[in-house]
Amino acid sequence: MENDWPGESKSELGQKTRGQIASYVGITMFLSYRKHFMSVVVFGTYARLIFWDRCGAVVSRRFNYQDGEGDKILFKFYLRFSQLTAEQRGYDPTVV
């Protein structure tokens, strides 16, 4: 079977790591009353952008954030994220 996500570890450690990341996000969403959450996962010279909501996650392809194109992806993400409102960042405005 061909791997659609080259570089993604299918090992037990890789699966545990993904589970640990998901549990941290779940706790963060619960404790800070979020509708969704965005994260950057960095491993070595590569990174992925992840959008989480109550149904699951959408994960970008990995990119090398140290090369000319990858650093632009990361810069644009943080630039755009910094311009979002709290609600756009995922905070639930119905919780006081």
Side-chain angles (χ1 to χ4, degrees), residues 31-42:
L31 293 176
S32 60
Y33 305 105
R34 291 176 171 266
K35 291 182 172 184
H36 61 268
F37 187 82
M38 291 175 252
S39 61
V40 177
V41 178
V42 176

Side-chain angles (χ1 to χ4, degrees), residues 9 30 37 44-45 50-51 65 85 92:
S9 175
F30 176 76
F37 187 82
T45 60
I50 308 176
F51 177 88
Y65 67 90
T85 65
D92 187 347

Side-chain angles (χ1 to χ4, degrees), residues 16-32 34 37 39 52:
K16 286 182 178 181
T17 300
R18 287 188 294 278
Q20 186 176 19
I21 292 167
S23 68
Y24 290 157
V25 171
I27 291 167
T28 301
M29 288 179 67
F30 176 76
L31 293 176
S32 60
R34 291 176 171 266
F37 187 82
S39 61
W52 306 81

